[in-house]
Amino acid sequence: MTKRARVIYNPTSGREAIKQDLVEILAVYEQAGYETSAYATTPEPNSAKMEASRAVREGFDLIVAAGGDGTINEVMNGIAPFEQRPLLAVIPSGTTNDYARALKIPREDPVGAARVILNPENRFKIDVGQAGDNYFMNIAAAGTLTELTYDVPSQMKSLFGYLAYFAKGAELLPRVKAVDVRVKYDDQVYEGEVSTIFLALTNSVGGFEQVVPDASLDDGNFSLLIVKDSSIPGMLQLMAKALKGNHVGDDRIIYAKAKDVFVEPVHEEDRLMINLDGEYGGDAPMQFHNLRQHINVVANVAEIPNEAISSEMTPELQRMEKDFIRDVDKVHEVESNK
């Protein structure tokens, strides 16, 4: 019986790189033994999600999500609710491409990303997070700093990738405020002020791999990170520590493993927005559950060359990094003089 694959691609993602390579990408999946067709997403809300659900109902054996993390999240949301789920492959063409980074998929070579499937051993069952009626495959977050993902202009993200988020983060630091929350995780409870909460399924957060350095893709647990400090000097210190992976033991941090997490604001008048894989996912109170090894994905299981997972620091990115450091220094100087 012939196996079928459906490539769901975002034609506007990543400077439209996917469209240029689409014919060659389809040929790769044909070579892998799949009768392959393609669907271009539209501006209609949940276009990728609806097409992925249709493909599951039609009995497709493989669904390929080609685009940024938002497109991949939508496709995964279309697959996750079904009892029988097809194999999922990823072709990254967005900005940070956190999920592709975690799966060791080439992030600058769409055709190379497709070719990962040609090795039959490149299959891996990964955990999926459930948040209310929605699903996420990389990270759920709440708190003032997480709102920067809604504010960064799309053109800025396309040009500068993860450094665009950092530049906006420096701008937002003076607006960070603490929120009183109640977080129940497995058999423990934290109640108090927080500035940020992360529930991570992978070790890649905004392009950085040291924020949750020991995250596992398939152990059935979230890596829960609660940041209690909301002062600007404290946030600057923690940001510097997080870039080096030295923040986990800090007293201002709670770092734990948990399968089930419940988050709610202590005061009803406080709004706590939930971010799922970089997109708005509703407001707390919210229940999170880890679905262990829920989806079988194509992943570069064997060790791969460093250049396949590292992007070049272009002059534009170097300038953005310098601007970010300058902005942080300005904020720190203002706070020190108060």
Side-chain angles (χ1 to χ4, degrees):
M1 184 175 178
T2 303
K3 296 185 295 183
R4 294 186 299 160
R6 188 67 157 166
V7 178
I8 301 173
Y9 71 99
N10 183 346
T12 64
S13 179
R15 306 177 194 175
E16 303 185 355
I18 291 292
K19 288 197 299 184
Q20 302 169 20
D21 296 315
L22 186 58
V23 172
E24 195 170 351
I25 287 170
L26 294 177
V28 170
Y29 292 112
E30 292 279 349
Q31 181 184 349
Y34 295 89
E35 183 181 290
T36 309
S37 55
Y39 172 84
T41 61
T42 69
E44 181 183 4
N46 297 314
S47 171
K49 177 183 176 181
M50 290 187 294
E51 176 59 19
S53 296
R54 188 200 68 80
V56 175
R57 289 192 297 268
E58 292 292 323
F60 278 77
D61 303 279
L62 167 69
I63 296 179
V64 182
D69 285 336
T71 300
I72 296 168
N73 174 269
E74 269 199 51
V75 170
M76 188 271 300
N77 267 271
I79 296 172
F82 289 88
E83 186 173 343
Q84 298 294 324
R85 298 172 291 275
L87 180 65
L88 173 65
V90 169
I91 298 178
S93 66
T95 49
T96 55
N97 296 314
D98 275 325
Y99 205 52
R101 185 189 301 268
L103 297 179
K104 306 298 184 184
I105 305 257
R107 294 177 291 110
E108 305 294 336
D109 179 6
V111 177
R115 288 196 181 113
V116 174
I117 200 172
L118 297 178
N119 183 344
E121 295 183 359
N122 283 341
R123 308 288 188 273
F124 192 75
K125 290 186 177 181
I126 51 94
D127 296 345
V128 169
Q130 184 171 9
D133 295 329
N134 297 313
Y135 300 85
F136 60 101
M137 77 283 183
N138 189 51
I139 191 166
T144 309
L145 274 181
T146 66
E147 296 174 11
L148 65 91
T149 56
Y150 309 125
D151 294 338
V152 177
S154 58
Q155 184 179 14
M156 185 179 180
K157 287 191 288 186
S158 296
L159 289 173
F160 302 115
Y162 69 82
L163 288 176
Y165 292 104
F166 255 179
K168 197 67 178 181
E171 178 185 322
L172 282 175
L173 278 175
R175 292 161 47 190
V176 171
K177 66 176 183 178
V179 179
D180 283 324
V181 302
R182 184 177 299 108
V183 183
K184 300 177 183 178
Y185 51 106
D186 289 350
D187 58 348
Q188 301 186 65
V189 178
Y190 168 76
E191 186 170 322
E193 290 188 346
V194 304
S195 60
T196 307
I197 301 171
F198 288 126
L199 286 85
L201 288 160
T202 80
N203 70 339
S204 184
V205 178
F208 293 93
E209 299 181 357
Q210 298 300 320
V211 178
V212 280
D214 62 345
S216 172
L217 293 169
D218 64 347
D219 69 350
N221 287 307
F222 296 116
S223 294
L224 172 65
L225 184 69
I226 301 174
V227 181
K228 295 182 282 186
D229 197 330
S230 61
S231 68
I232 292 180
M235 292 296 295
L236 290 171
Q237 291 174 5
L238 289 173
M239 288 173 70
K241 281 189 167 187
L243 294 182
K244 299 176 181 178
N246 298 328
H247 61 299
V248 173
D250 195 289
D251 290 339
R252 295 164 293 181
I253 297 284
I254 293 176
Y255 190 72
K257 301 292 184 179
K259 180 178 181 179
D260 290 285
V261 179
F262 179 75
V263 176
E264 65 178 345
V266 172
H267 309 292
E268 291 185 2
E269 64 272 18
D270 287 338
R271 184 184 185 189
L272 190 62
M273 300 170 67
I274 303 298
N275 183 305
L276 303 176
D277 292 336
E279 304 294 334
Y280 173 64
D283 290 358
M286 185 72 72
Q287 177 73 49
F288 302 89
H289 177 66
N290 186 304
L291 300 170
R292 186 176 186 185
Q293 300 180 14
H294 191 66
I295 292 181
N296 198 23
V297 299
V298 177
N300 210 338
V301 177
E303 192 66 27
I304 59 173
N306 289 334
E307 59 266 22
I309 60 172
S310 300
S311 57
E312 181 183 358
M313 182 64 81
T314 63
E316 290 86 358
L317 287 177
Q318 291 175 351
R319 180 175 63 81
M320 180 63 79
E321 184 177 48
K322 289 179 181 178
D323 289 347
F324 167 69
I325 294 172
R326 180 202 62 203
D327 291 343
V328 169
D329 287 342
K330 285 182 179 179
V331 173
H332 192 275
E333 182 180 353
V334 170
E335 289 301 308
S336 298
N337 292 332
K338 284 185 178 179

